[in-house]
Structure formats: structure tokens, C-alpha cells
Amino acid sequence: MVSELPETTYAVLGPVDKLPGSSGYELVAAADGSFAHFWPISQTLLYKELNRLAELGWVVASRVERARSPTKSANRSTPSGREALAGWLATTSQHTESFRSSFLLRFFLAHLMSARHLHALLGDYRRSLVERRDDLTAIVAGLEKASTPMARMGRLSALHGLRTVEARLQWISEVESALGPG
Amino acid sequence: MVSELPETTYAVLGPVDKLPGSSGYELVAAADGSFAHFWPISQTLLYKELNRLAELGWVVASRVERARSPTKSANRSTPSGREALAGWLATTSQHTESFRSSFLLRFFLAHLMSARHLHALLGDYRRSLVERRDDLTAIVAGLEKASTPMARMGRLSALHGLRTVEARLQWISEVESALGPG
DNA sequence: GTTCCCATGTAACCCGTTACATGATTTT
DNA sequence: AAAATCATGTAACGGGTTACATGGGAAC
């Protein structure tokens, strides 16, 4: 049998199914604006997965010549592709999650830092979180009156990130008062 | 000069410095119990990094023969190793963070699922979060009266995870009431 | 006329994983 | 006698990255 495909394959298949007729280039843009928040993917890899999906017969690409623009490939999911996607969605078995934070890695070694340095580290972390919070707030607000189910889910996914970021900002305050002034 | 080392190298160097005289095996155990939460590392990779650190001259390993146990290597950071670690800790420049959630990947494609299925997905996610919350709560509680700075930071790091998980559990409730009954 | 957008790739690299090997000692 | 613990690795694989190549049309 086929040795299990990486989830990234489905991460590409999903949007192809959702946005039929998109080029790889358009899919990259769509990814950046939506699911890259919880499933980052580089342009190179997306094209690779697109080719794999074509080989699997799960996606077909038709060349579209246009008057005053480069020729693009219009990708569409096939019936077997949609079947595969449905099957994958049904495997709720294990939802893996990977998380790596170089901030926490440094924070964990705080005994090697001066108190001043530690507070600077926390300050940097807060700044980056605030930035993300503002981004996510804008996304959530922008999709407030979402009409399509896709946009609704996009908003709720962004909300997941927003709630996470807010909790971490609170954690910083908690830590700062636990550590006292630097 | 040396093309930038992966942060995982420092993730190993830190504990070696903190726990002088540890074997690779002991470091694996230490990792699992503490920083694996925000910086997972496999046994194989940890040993690889240990060798790299030895080649860099940042760590020295001395063989320790023991009466009735296998010979182990006792790893210790060198002055240049500690210098490198301090230098890395000072580079607050970019604290990268990677996050990938296969739950959100599926959730995002919820328009392809039945309402029943979507609620099952959320239920599974809740269960896994509750499990992690309980683990983290136990860790935080266990280190409540932490005496060493290392244990204190371990507790605060676990608290970061705990606050995150709690926020996500709340997010689930938020989503469930937004979606209505399945 | 240079720079940006559209569009699709190739090449090189390596981090990190799983599976497996080995062998002694201690516990069940 | 079998299983778990201590201890250190090798081998194979692949997912994912950055950097680069290419080439036409549009915009400034």
C-alpha cells in the first residue's frame, strides 16, 4: 500500500478543492493569507505537493493560455481526490501538533542571564506577541460578517491564534510579577 | 566562518552546562521531563548534537567506568562552550516559533464535514487538551516550592503551556456556541 | 528602464525521525 | 527466562528550507 502521505499533501489538496481552477501561484497567496498561520508551507513545497497530487490522480491541471498574462495551470480536484480528502478528514485518530519556541528555550536557561537581560527577553517576546495579536485581530474583524463557510472557518481559526496569543501576553505579566523588578 | 548552527545544538548545550557530568542517556531523560514541551528532540538527534558539541570543543566527554553499571560518558561544557552559550543567549534578535496543528488543518476544511463530524472533531481536540492540561497542572504543582532557579524556570515554562491550553479550551466552548448544536 | 507581479520550477542541503543493533546489568 | 533499564550508536529516509533560474507583461 501507499506509505502514509504527509499531512501537507492534504493541506494542499484541501485548498485546491475549495478554490477550483487556481494556479500554484494563487494557492501560495491563499495559503499565506489563511492557513499558513497553523500550517506554514513554502512555495517550493507547495508546487512539489501539487505535482504529487497530479501523479496520484487526485488533482488535474489544465493549461490556460491567456492574452496578456503568463500561461497558468488551473488545478482541480478529481472525484478520487475528493474521496481521499474525505477519508483523511475522517481520521480523527491522532491530531498531531508540533510546537517549538526559541523564546522558551532561552527563557528556560534564564539562570545564565542577568535580571536585566531576562526582562529584555520578555519585552521582546511581548512585542512580537502584540504584533501578532494586532494582525489576528484585524483578520478576525475583517471576517466578522463572513458569508461563506470558508471565511467563517478562517475567522474561527484566526480566533484560535488570537486566544492563544492573549493568554501568552497574560502569562508574561504573571511572570514579570513573579520575578519582581529587574 | 561556521554557517549558523541550528538552535537544537544550543538546546543540548544548555542542559549539559546546567547538569555537568550527565550522560547522553541522562540528558534524554532530562529533556523528556522538561524542555521537550517546547523543544522536542529525539534520542538519536541528541547524541548527534552531543558529538557535534564535542567536535566544536564546546563539550568534553570523559569516560566513567563503574562497578556494576555500563560505562557512561560524563559530559561537561568547556569555557568556550559557555562563551558560545552566553553569546547565543544574547541574540534576542529573532525568536522564531514554529507551530503546526493538524486539528486546525482539519477544522479549516469543516465545510466538507457534517455538523456531527465537526463536533466529534472538537470533542477529540478537547480531550487531548484536557489531558495535556492535567499533565501540565501536575508539573506546575510539583514545582510549586521550587528551590533551584532551574526548577523555577521549569515551572514557569510549564505555566506557559498551561495558560495556552486553557485558552484553547475556552476557544472550543466559544466555537461550539457560535456553531450551535450539531 | 528598472522594478514589481505572475508563474513554475531546479538544486543543494540538512534537520529530524523511525527502526534497528548491541551489550551489559538489574528486576520480575 | 524474560523483560526492563542503562547506554550509545548506525542506517535509511524524507520533509521542508533557502537560494537561484527563467521569462514575459505591467507599472512607475
Side-chain angles (χ1 to χ4, degrees):
Chain A
M1 196 47 225
V2 191
S3 65
E4 204 133 346
L5 292 163
E7 302 211 270
T8 297
T9 305
Y10 299 97
V12 174
L13 178 55
V16 168
D17 181 67
K18 192 149 54 174
L19 308 165
S22 302
S23 65
Y25 188 88
E26 287 165 337
L27 289 166
V28 169
D32 287 346
S34 58
F35 68 90
H37 295 295
F38 49 84
W39 205 273
I41 179 167
S42 65
Q43 172 256 33
T44 308
L45 183 55
L46 192 146
Y47 274 101
K48 253 196 273 188
E49 293 299 342
L50 228 34
N51 288 332
R52 173 173 2 209
L53 287 166
E55 278 167 28
L56 287 166
W58 290 359
V59 162
V60 281
S62 53
R63 299 198 67 72
V64 178
E65 316 275 342
R66 288 163 310 165
R68 56 196 70 232
S69 296
T71 303
K72 75 168 187 177
S73 293
N75 296 279
R76 262 166 239 282
S77 59
T78 64
S80 67
R82 283 187 288 277
E83 197 186 328
L85 186 55
W88 172 76
L89 281 171
T91 62
T92 42
S93 47
Q94 86 281 18
H95 38 71
T96 58
E97 186 175 310
S98 86
F99 173 64
R100 270 186 149 81
S101 164
S102 79
F103 159 74
L104 283 174
L105 200 51
R106 282 160 219 258
F107 179 78
F108 187 61
L109 301 174
H111 65 288
L112 297 172
M113 300 179 213
S114 65
R116 185 201 221 83
H117 187 169
L118 179 54
H119 280 268
L121 184 66
L122 285 165
D124 275 1
Y125 187 44
R126 171 179 277 132
R127 259 186 296 284
S128 77
L129 287 174
V130 165
E131 205 179 311
R132 285 203 52 215
R133 185 190 60 189
D134 294 346
D135 286 355
L136 288 167
T137 302
I139 291 172
V140 170
L143 297 174
E144 204 68 57
K145 305 187 174 177
S147 46
T148 72
M150 166 186 162
R152 267 175 79 209
M153 288 304 136
R155 179 178 163 275
L156 290 174
S157 300
L159 203 59
H160 182 277
L162 183 55
R163 296 293 175 249
T164 299
V165 166
E166 286 168 345
R168 288 175 180 171
L169 280 167
Q170 275 216 290
W171 172 84
I172 294 177
S173 303
E174 206 176 346
V175 167
E176 281 176 343
S177 51
L179 295 176
Chain B
M1 204 42 233
V2 193
S3 64
E4 204 135 344
L5 292 163
E7 302 212 90
T8 298
T9 304
Y10 299 97
V12 174
L13 178 55
V16 168
D17 182 67
K18 193 151 47 175
L19 308 165
S22 303
S23 64
Y25 188 88
E26 288 166 336
L27 289 166
V28 169
D32 287 346
S34 58
F35 68 90
H37 295 294
F38 48 84
W39 205 273
I41 180 168
S42 65
Q43 174 256 36
T44 308
L45 183 55
L46 191 146
Y47 275 101
K48 254 195 273 188
E49 293 300 341
L50 228 34
N51 287 332
R52 168 160 24 195
L53 287 166
E55 278 166 29
L56 286 165
W58 290 358
V59 163
V60 281
S62 53
R63 299 197 68 70
V64 177
E65 316 275 344
R66 286 161 313 163
R68 55 196 70 233
S69 295
T71 303
K72 73 168 191 178
S73 293
N75 296 280
R76 263 165 237 283
S77 59
T78 64
S80 68
R82 284 186 286 278
E83 198 186 327
L85 186 55
W88 172 75
L89 281 170
T91 62
T92 43
S93 45
Q94 87 279 18
H95 39 71
T96 58
E97 186 176 310
S98 87
F99 173 64
R100 271 182 147 82
S101 164
S102 79
F103 159 74
L104 283 174
L105 199 51
R106 282 159 218 258
F107 179 78
F108 187 60
L109 301 174
H111 65 289
L112 297 173
M113 299 181 215
S114 65
R116 185 201 221 82
H117 187 168
L118 179 54
H119 280 268
L121 183 68
L122 285 165
D124 276 1
Y125 188 44
R126 171 179 277 132
R127 259 185 297 283
S128 78
L129 288 173
V130 165
E131 204 180 311
R132 285 203 53 216
R133 185 191 59 189
D134 293 347
D135 285 356
L136 289 167
T137 303
I139 291 172
V140 170
L143 298 175
E144 205 67 58
K145 303 185 175 180
S147 46
T148 71
M150 166 186 162
R152 265 175 79 211
M153 288 304 136
R155 180 179 163 274
L156 291 174
S157 301
L159 204 59
H160 182 277
L162 183 56
R163 295 292 175 251
T164 299
V165 166
E166 286 168 346
R168 289 175 181 171
L169 280 166
Q170 276 216 290
W171 173 84
I172 293 179
S173 303
E174 205 176 345
V175 167
E176 281 175 343
S177 51
L179 295 177

